[in-house]
Amino acid sequence: MAGADGDDSLYPIAVLIDELRNEDVQLRLNSIKKLSTIALALGVERTRTELLPFLTDTIYDEDEVLLALAEQLGNFTMLVGGPEYVHCLLPPLESLATVEETVVRDKAVESLRKISQEHSPVDLEVHFEPLVKRLASGDWFTSRTSACGLFSVCYPRVSSTVKAEIRQHFRTLCSDDTPMVRRAAASKLGEFAKVLELEYVKSDIISLFTALASDEQDSVRLLAVEACVSIATLLPQEDLETLVMPTLRQAAEDKSWRVRYMVADKFSELQKAVGPEITKNDLVPAFQNLLKDCEAEVRAAAANKVKEFCENLPEDNREQIIMTHILPCVKELVSDTNQHVKSALASVIMGLSTILGKDNTIEHLLPLFLAQLKDECPEVRLNIISNLDCVNEVIGIRQLSQSLLPAIVELAEDAKWRVRLAIIEYMPLLAGQLGVEFFDEKLNTLCMAWLIDHVYAIREAATCNLMKLVEKFGAEWAQNTIVPKVLGMANDPNYLHRMTTLFCINALSKACGQEITTKQMLPVVLKMSNDQVANVRFNVAKSLQKIGPILDSNALQTEVKPVLEKLASDTDMDVKYFAQEAISGKLSYHWVLKPFNRLSYI
Amino acid sequence: MSAISASEKVDGFTRKSMRKAQKQRKSQGSSQYRTHTAPVELSPLPQLKDAPSTEQQELFTQKLQQCCMLFDFLDSVTDLKSKEIKRATLNELVDYVSTNRGVLVEPAYPEITNMICTNIFRVLPPSDNPDFDPEEDEPTLEAAWPHIQLVYEFLLRFLENPDFQPSIAKRYIDQKFVLQLLELFDSEDPRERDFLKTILHRIYGKFLGLRAFIRKQINNIFLRFIYETEHFNGVAELLEILGSIINGFALPLKAEHKQFLMKVLIPLHTAKGLALFHAQLAYCVVQFLEKDPTLTEPVIRGLLKFWPKTCSQKEVMFLGEIEEILDVIEPTQFKKIQEPLFKQISKCVTNPHFQVAERALYFWNNEYILSLIEENIDKILPIMFGSLYRISKEHWNPTIVALVYNVLKTLMEMNCTLFDELTSSYKADRQRKRKKTSIISSMADNISACNNECEFRGSRHLVLIIIIIWTFMLF
């Protein structure tokens, strides 16, 4: 290799070349990831003259390596000598932008977009724009697809003749006969429109938009919907009706459910872009249709937007529109046949109460909430419960509490542990809203029952839940209600339950404070150090380490230290290990530090 | 919520197969968006065979128009009478175009295609099961099949009618028609895809002007499947059609066809659901190689590039395809790729998954491959030897070990001297390695002896580092 010639400065590139030729992909990958170091070692000039040509020639590799290369080159500007020389990064990135694998290509485009900003306007016209043109007229669809992402970054900074060329290229790609390219163009249409002068938006973009929105492939049409948002934002209000609305109306009634889904999904953005007047006249009926669509996917997407749509309605007749047009559809969705639709609705429906106010909520919404709390699908109930705070502000939670309780209990005992986990996470919130009395009376037993759940994740969440409850209700409440029950589990015949006691102590000690920890918890922990199960014993050691900082030094010296020392000579190696960890860990702050002189022995 | 079964209590996850069993076979309607303007009740028309020949043509048209009425099949109780009338009419139409001569007069073409388009061209509904696994799940069947099936049948008979004239039909069966037909290949219903396959094949055969377009659109569907969606139900059917198309390619192959092989068919091997269409795909690839053997090297290099890294099931399929290719390979082509290929095969025989190892070792049961290996034994044996020798001692599966012994024996018979040389150099190599390990382990023993006296865990790391440094200094 070059290094053998005695020229040491060539050594890094020699190593790189060596590793790049290695059979092991991982090694090749590593060497590519170290590319910046190598470039730094070579210096800017040799990076330009030797490293980059080498890399350009070696683009044949596994996609993983190419991906890493494409990413690296985006950050190479300084390594090739700054903006003045940044154009020499273009050849390798150009080849990368033509490969088949989408992730590599996308990364190359991302890097090209990045370094385009570092080009001077002159370089942009001399080097960058020709590259975009080459890509845009490439033979294989991959390069044309990549070109679509590059127009908008160079357009603002080039002369008007070049601008005209760029617009022409974009136009050509919008009617490319490969759907992949049309999709790429459609997805960049909005972005490109934003950098164009308004006159060209009206003359060029609108016709492209209309054409793409009536493409024969629904995958192209649906991307035009996205562009619609940006285009509508750019145009003055008076032009919207003639230039955008016909296409949008057509999209909302497209025969393909994918396009209608897209309209539903982008509905809030569209609403903001077209303004209140068009919303009232056009979007409200369109929204009603989407809520009643024949495909559940579309209804679910629309249901998700109910709250946002209502919120953004013009305030002067918002209530009237909701009550007469939207609410009837919402009522139907509550008993939809599809659970995704119901659960999408349940995740936003509570938000309507703040918009409609107390009376309407009680009269119209409350029956819907109650119906959803009894829904057969746990996700629907869960979504209602997780958004209780919105109703709480408007009508107070008491209105709901009678129906709430059975729903909570049922979710708490659901067969799917993920459902149980989800309801546990809402417990602290519920407790806060329902108040301590209601909680003690109805929910406390549930919280304790979760501690002996057969799924670890539930026990763990239950432990964490207790900690949050104590933070909310205070140490005194903990002492009276929770702590005795938790400590009682220390004598359970099941070692998993005994361990749960320890986990609870770990979580609760801080919130409960020094007194409870020292007087009530510590004795139990110490007693458990004699447990016959090793897992319990080493968790005792861990617990002692955890609660150590809360205890005073007296308790540490007289009670904790002897127990840990005993555990440190346990027969089980894990117990020993964790006891030693505890001794050398946090507790050492309070103790005499053990000398480290043993180290010099080696 | 149903009662919780004991097994569910235990692990919380129900088995996939159990969940599957609970689901029943479902059917779904097409996503006919707002076409349901309450169907008008149909009234039966007189039979075509009873009509006087002067009125037959008019009656035929009327019946075609009647069959343009669409019904909701998800609702199994409404319009029963009309549904039955349409079914009977469609049956009659199928019969009419398949048995009678002279019925396909020019004015009938637009009526016929209009009826077909109205019935079969529809947006496919969203999949009921978002993580539909075609290998395990029951497909969702098309609810309107009782009618749609007959329409497909009719289309097929129409195309196969001896009076059928492509020159007239091409005004109606055009690019747009074909494009919509191709989109239907994504149907989850295998019965529908089967019909589509035959129909597209007929169209490809009869409409020369559409051939390039059809190939190009299939190309686009595949590219979208590979690089964008990874989802398309009709890949196998399309490949099957392509198989026979490739078979008919004229020589020398056009650049377009070669590009299709390298840029579409080979990358198709990366798909997750390869098992669903691998047989058809391998057939296409082999067809290409039989046409033009010079493509062998790029094809095999392509397969090696996309060789599965973690999926044993796919690896077995790749090995199967390689064997199919080797079956037709020319000895000169074999020489060009033998080294990279046998490096891969040597990795496969050591695979701990016995099916992969077994599939690779089966190559040695193939007479033609054996003869190729024998011709090039001096190149291949050194590549294979180490792996074979090692697994003959180490593989956990007795069948594999037995197979390896046979393979080693065969190879030894091919070139005894080379085999002996390799054996002795392999043994010497092993000896050297074993010595190294014993030195390291004795050092480690020494160190752990001192380690026992150390009290702090930190020192354990130190010891480890020292072991590593010593190891480096030694070698």
Side-chain angles (χ1 to χ4, degrees):
Chain A
M1 287 279 35
D5 302 341
D7 182 358
D8 279 351
S9 63
L10 278 176
Y11 190 65
I13 192 141
V15 170
L16 171 77
I17 292 167
D18 250 3
E19 284 200 3
L20 273 177
R21 286 181 181 151
N22 199 295
E23 262 183 47
D24 186 352
V25 185
Q26 195 55 45
L27 279 181
R28 295 207 296 275
L29 202 54
N30 289 346
S31 89
I32 285 288
K33 284 184 176 159
K34 277 181 294 192
L35 211 53
S36 56
T37 321
I38 294 161
L40 210 57
L42 284 172
V44 291
E45 177 141 7
R46 295 182 63 182
T47 299
R48 288 198 302 269
T49 55
E50 290 166 40
L51 184 60
L52 285 178
F54 171 73
L55 290 173
T56 316
D57 291 341
T58 49
I59 295 177
Y60 61 92
D61 206 338
E62 299 252 352
D63 294 329
E64 257 175 297
V65 177
L66 298 184
L67 175 68
L69 179 59
E71 184 170 10
Q72 291 276 315
L73 290 177
N75 303 317
F76 247 55
T77 310
M78 290 326 286
L79 296 168
V80 292
E84 208 179 324
Y85 296 98
V86 68
H87 59 83
C88 58
L89 293 173
L90 297 178
L93 282 172
E94 182 176 351
S95 327
L96 288 169
T98 62
V99 301
E100 253 80 31
E101 181 50 54
T102 326
V103 280
V104 176
R105 222 161 56 217
D106 287 350
K107 190 55 89 179
V109 171
E110 195 186 310
S111 288
L112 279 171
R113 285 167 71 105
K114 208 169 180 180
I115 63 169
S116 73
Q117 300 310 314
E118 279 143 5
H119 280 74
S120 68
V122 177
D123 280 350
L124 209 59
E125 277 189 34
V126 177
H127 299 287
F128 198 87
E129 204 267 340
L131 168 141
V132 178
K133 267 195 244 169
R134 277 196 302 278
L135 287 176
S137 44
D139 276 340
W140 190 238
F141 79 95
T142 50
S143 70
R144 302 201 297 279
T145 315
S146 295
C148 293
L150 298 173
F151 293 118
S152 65
V153 288
C154 50
Y155 189 85
R157 295 169 58 211
V158 291
S159 68
S160 55
T161 36
V162 179
K163 277 183 175 178
E165 280 174 32
I166 292 180
R167 287 197 305 274
Q168 180 52 44
H169 278 292
F170 192 80
R171 213 175 300 141
T172 318
L173 292 182
C174 281
S175 52
D176 197 281
D177 64 349
T178 319
M180 279 76 76
V181 178
R182 293 203 303 279
R183 277 195 285 278
S187 68
K188 299 293 175 197
L189 183 65
E191 180 190 286
F192 189 56
K194 280 183 191 159
V195 297
L196 246 59
E197 297 80 0
L198 186 60
E199 50 176 311
Y200 293 119
V201 173
K202 285 189 195 170
S203 63
D204 284 29
I205 295 289
I206 294 297
S207 63
L208 295 176
F209 166 64
T210 320
L212 290 170
S214 44
D215 195 276
E216 63 203 6
Q217 304 250 337
D218 60 359
S219 52
V220 178
R221 295 202 298 277
L222 65 86
L223 290 166
V225 174
E226 265 189 297
C228 184
V229 177
S230 324
I231 294 170
T233 323
L234 296 170
L235 291 174
Q237 189 71 31
E238 64 269 19
D239 289 332
L240 284 177
E241 180 53 45
T242 49
L243 298 181
V244 175
M245 285 318 290
T247 310
L248 181 57
R249 275 187 215 114
Q250 177 195 321
E253 301 205 327
D254 197 283
K255 67 179 194 302
S256 164
W257 61 271
R258 289 187 188 86
V259 179
R260 302 197 303 276
Y261 170 89
M262 200 57 159
V263 175
D265 195 49
K266 297 276 163 227
F267 216 82
S268 309
E269 286 96 326
L270 288 168
Q271 183 189 9
K272 278 179 207 152
V274 297
E277 213 40 50
I278 293 179
T279 297
K280 251 189 280 180
N281 301 334
D282 275 282
L283 293 194
V284 172
F287 194 59
Q288 283 175 291
N289 283 337
L290 292 171
L291 288 173
K292 289 189 250 174
D293 198 277
C294 62
E295 292 302 341
E297 268 74 3
V298 181
R299 292 199 300 280
N304 254 323
K305 302 288 163 189
V306 163
K307 183 194 153 197
E308 258 182 279
F309 180 73
C310 293
E311 251 173 7
N312 296 330
L313 284 170
E315 260 182 66
D316 48 344
N317 46 6
R318 181 162 72 184
E319 194 177 315
Q320 182 251 331
I321 293 177
I322 298 176
M323 297 305 293
T324 52
H325 298 290
I326 307 297
L327 203 59
C329 302
V330 169
K331 278 183 185 158
E332 267 174 53
L333 291 183
V334 167
S335 47
D336 199 277
T337 49
N338 183 294
Q339 68 169 57
H340 299 292
V341 176
K342 287 187 290 187
S343 104
L345 181 69
S347 64
V348 297
I349 191 175
M350 312 292 267
L352 290 181
S353 49
T354 29
I355 307 170
L356 288 177
K358 189 171 174 180
D359 295 336
N360 279 329
T361 302
I362 293 177
E363 196 188 332
H364 298 284
L365 293 177
L366 197 57
L368 303 181
F369 299 160
L370 296 178
Q372 293 214 300
L373 271 177
K374 296 193 189 87
D375 198 278
E376 56 176 9
C377 163
E379 211 180 317
V380 175
R381 284 173 268 150
L382 208 56
N383 281 346
I384 290 287
I385 291 175
S386 58
N387 289 300
L388 278 176
D389 45 341
C390 322
V391 202
N392 199 16
E393 289 160 19
V394 183
I395 56 170
I397 208 161
R398 291 280 159 185
Q399 297 266 12
L400 276 174
S401 56
Q402 282 315 313
S403 312
L404 209 48
L405 194 65
I408 295 173
V409 172
E410 212 178 307
L411 288 170
E413 289 164 355
D414 196 280
K416 297 195 184 73
W417 68 267
R418 284 175 207 281
V419 175
R420 300 201 295 277
L421 185 65
I423 187 73
I424 293 177
E425 277 161 12
Y426 294 117
M427 267 301 152
L429 187 78
L430 283 171
Q433 286 164 3
L434 293 165
V436 68
E437 283 159 44
F438 187 90
F439 184 85
D440 279 346
E441 199 181 314
K442 317 269 185 179
L443 299 179
N444 198 9
T445 38
L446 278 182
C447 290
M448 301 315 289
W450 282 321
L451 288 176
I452 52 170
D453 197 283
H454 55 274
V455 176
Y456 175 77
I458 299 296
R459 299 198 296 274
E460 191 188 26
T463 313
C464 181
N465 173 43
L466 286 186
M467 179 181 80
K468 287 181 186 153
L469 289 174
V470 174
E471 281 166 3
K472 215 160 220 137
F473 294 149
E476 197 185 328
W477 174 82
Q479 195 176 8
N480 296 329
T481 52
I482 292 183
V483 175
K485 288 184 191 164
V486 166
L487 296 182
M489 279 164 58
N491 301 317
D492 197 287
N494 185 336
Y495 85 98
L496 289 172
H497 299 172
R498 299 203 292 280
M499 295 221 297
T500 306
T501 301
L502 291 171
F503 298 147
C504 285
I505 289 175
N506 295 347
L508 294 178
S509 58
K510 199 171 167 210
C512 286
Q514 195 186 48
E515 170 142 354
I516 298 177
T517 307
T518 319
K519 292 212 173 116
Q520 297 189 11
M521 295 176 175
L522 184 61
V524 175
V525 178
L526 295 174
K527 209 177 120 213
M528 287 170 89
S529 67
N530 298 317
D531 200 290
Q532 55 184 354
V533 178
N535 297 40
V536 177
R537 294 202 300 278
F538 76 64
N539 273 299
V540 166
K542 280 170 147 182
S543 286
L544 288 174
Q545 180 173 8
K546 198 110 197 190
I547 65 175
I550 301 161
L551 303 170
D552 61 35
S553 58
N554 185 31
L556 282 173
Q557 279 294 348
T558 58
E559 295 179 69
V560 177
K561 190 180 168 190
V563 169
L564 279 179
E565 275 169 353
K566 190 185 74 189
L567 289 175
S569 56
D570 198 281
T571 50
D572 185 282
M573 63 182 273
D574 292 319
V575 178
K576 245 194 248 179
Y577 170 75
F578 284 110
Q580 280 168 356
E581 278 282 279
I583 293 169
S584 60
K586 289 213 169 102
L587 292 184
S588 54
Y589 292 116
H590 300 272
W591 290 0
V592 188
L593 279 170
K594 286 243 177 187
F596 280 86
N597 55 6
R598 287 275 181 106
L599 274 179
S600 59
Y601 172 77
I602 303 179
Chain B
M1 289 263 58
S2 55
I4 308 155
S5 68
S7 67
E8 240 178 299
K9 271 276 186 205
V10 174
D11 70 353
F13 298 99
T14 43
R15 294 194 168 279
K16 206 178 179 191
S17 53
M18 269 170 57
R19 269 184 290 136
K20 296 274 151 73
Q22 286 163 6
K23 274 192 194 160
Q24 344 153 322
R25 219 179 152 91
K26 275 194 269 175
S27 62
Q28 66 185 6
S30 321
S31 186
Q32 300 277 17
Y33 180 63
R34 268 176 231 154
T35 44
H36 295 291
T37 41
V40 184
E41 197 167 312
L42 299 183
S43 48
L45 295 165
Q47 292 272 304
L48 277 162
K49 63 174 189 288
D50 300 337
S53 55
T54 44
E55 287 164 30
Q56 261 190 0
Q57 201 52 53
E58 172 62 25
L59 188 58
F60 181 48
T61 312
Q62 279 176 17
K63 290 197 175 230
L64 284 169
Q65 283 164 354
Q66 198 171 45
C67 288
C68 288
M69 184 67 68
L70 300 178
F71 298 97
D72 182 4
F73 271 83
L74 283 183
D75 188 345
S76 54
V77 288
T78 56
D79 308 316
L80 283 180
K81 198 169 139 249
S82 298
K83 281 180 191 168
E84 175 53 29
I85 290 173
K86 179 169 168 183
R87 198 193 58 79
T89 311
L90 282 168
N91 261 325
E92 198 193 348
L93 290 173
V94 170
D95 206 43
Y96 186 67
V97 291
S98 41
T99 52
N100 293 15
R101 292 293 307 260
V103 295
L104 294 184
V105 291
E106 197 169 335
Y109 281 80
E111 298 293 342
I112 290 173
T113 37
N114 180 40
M115 190 279 280
I116 291 164
C117 294
T118 319
N119 276 283
I120 63 171
F121 293 151
R122 63 212 194 276
V123 178
L124 295 169
S127 176
D128 238 7
N129 178 358
D131 28 53
F132 175 67
D133 176 356
E135 279 177 90
E136 262 202 57
D137 296 335
E138 285 287 342
T140 317
L141 299 176
E142 172 58 53
W145 190 244
H147 284 173
I148 292 188
Q149 177 184 16
L150 293 170
V151 178
Y152 277 125
E153 187 77 49
F154 177 77
L155 171 55
L156 199 55
R157 297 297 166 87
F158 168 60
L159 292 168
E160 285 170 351
N161 187 302
D163 294 336
F164 178 79
Q165 291 202 21
S167 54
I168 303 173
K170 73 178 182 195
R171 265 176 266 155
Y172 312 103
I173 298 183
D174 53 1
Q175 297 196 346
K176 190 158 180 264
F177 185 95
V178 167
L179 205 59
Q180 296 185 80
L181 202 65
L182 282 168
E183 271 175 26
L184 290 174
F185 274 84
D186 195 19
S187 167
E188 246 180 68
D189 194 330
R191 300 169 303 181
E192 178 164 23
R193 297 200 305 269
D194 207 51
F195 259 116
L196 287 164
K197 185 177 70 188
T198 323
I199 288 166
L200 186 66
H201 203 196
R202 294 287 177 278
I203 294 180
Y204 191 87
K206 292 195 191 277
F207 296 84
L208 303 186
L210 286 173
R211 287 186 176 180
F213 181 78
I214 292 175
R215 287 198 306 270
K216 190 162 179 200
Q217 294 309 319
I218 294 181
N219 221 316
N220 288 340
I221 289 178
F222 285 166
L223 288 169
R224 184 171 176 213
F225 169 75
I226 302 166
Y227 295 114
E228 291 182 6
T229 57
E230 288 192 12
H231 177 92
F232 193 82
N233 290 315
V235 178
E237 283 82 2
L238 291 176
L239 282 169
E240 213 176 312
I241 300 170
L242 281 167
S244 66
I245 293 178
I246 296 165
N247 205 316
F249 280 163
L251 287 174
L253 291 177
K254 286 191 209 159
E256 174 213 329
H257 301 325
K258 289 187 191 171
Q259 189 183 48
F260 175 68
L261 170 67
M262 293 316 296
K263 297 220 169 188
V264 182
L265 290 185
I266 298 298
L268 259 182
H269 286 84
T270 58
K272 207 165 49 185
L274 179 66
L276 291 166
F277 53 83
H278 181 256
Q280 291 85 345
L281 180 58
Y283 178 79
C284 288
V285 171
V286 173
Q287 287 297 307
F288 262 113
L289 299 186
E290 286 203 75
K291 288 261 164 197
D292 183 355
T294 58
L295 291 167
T296 313
E297 188 189 354
V299 163
I300 292 189
R301 285 194 188 275
L303 289 178
L304 293 174
K305 182 181 173 198
F306 294 130
W307 201 271
K309 295 201 168 52
T310 53
C311 181
S312 305
Q313 192 207 4
K314 269 174 88 170
E315 214 168 342
V316 172
M317 289 185 257
F318 269 59
L319 284 164
E321 187 169 347
I322 292 285
E323 181 164 358
E324 283 182 51
I325 294 174
L326 290 179
D327 268 333
V328 300
I329 201 169
E330 286 183 359
T332 45
Q333 296 298 324
F334 181 80
K335 280 195 191 350
K336 288 187 193 160
I337 43 86
Q338 55 182 356
E339 279 178 49
L341 178 62
F342 275 83
K343 273 184 191 157
Q344 182 57 55
I345 294 173
S346 119
K347 275 186 210 154
C348 292
V349 297
T350 61
N351 197 304
H353 196 306
F354 79 97
Q355 286 175 335
V356 176
E358 189 180 52
R359 189 67 193 82
L361 291 166
Y362 277 167
F363 283 14
W364 273 264
N365 293 344
N366 181 316
E367 290 295 330
Y368 183 58
I369 299 180
L370 272 186
S371 72
L372 292 168
I373 294 176
E374 186 158 16
E375 244 172 74
N376 302 286
I377 187 74
D378 51 323
K379 287 275 177 352
I380 293 171
L381 190 53
I383 299 171
M384 295 299 301
F385 186 81
S387 305
L388 290 172
Y389 196 91
R390 191 158 59 78
I391 50 163
S392 73
K393 304 260 188 271
E394 289 173 6
H395 205 281
W396 62 272
N397 185 302
T399 320
I400 298 299
V401 175
L403 276 171
V404 169
Y405 272 116
N406 281 332
V407 169
L408 280 171
K409 199 167 137 262
T410 321
L411 291 171
M412 188 168 72
E413 283 161 5
M414 286 177 182
N415 187 339
C416 196
T417 11
L418 179 59
F419 194 91
D420 287 346
E421 270 170 38
L422 287 167
T423 316
S424 49
S425 71
Y426 182 82
K427 280 187 177 155
D429 207 42
R430 289 270 295 194
Q431 208 82 46
R432 231 178 302 130
K433 274 192 188 143
R434 207 166 300 147
K435 237 183 211 162
K436 278 185 193 174
T437 8
S438 73
I439 295 173
I440 294 172
S441 64
S442 71
M443 268 180 343
D445 284 346
N446 284 340
I447 293 163
S448 64
C450 13
N451 184 30
N452 282 341
E453 297 168 36
C454 306
E455 202 170 289
F456 292 98
R457 271 176 52 78
S459 57
R460 286 196 202 165
H461 296 304
L462 218 71
V463 170
L464 267 178
I465 292 166
I466 289 169
I467 293 185
I468 293 164
I469 295 170
W470 281 357
T471 322
F472 270 110
M473 281 172 8
L474 262 167
F475 307 107

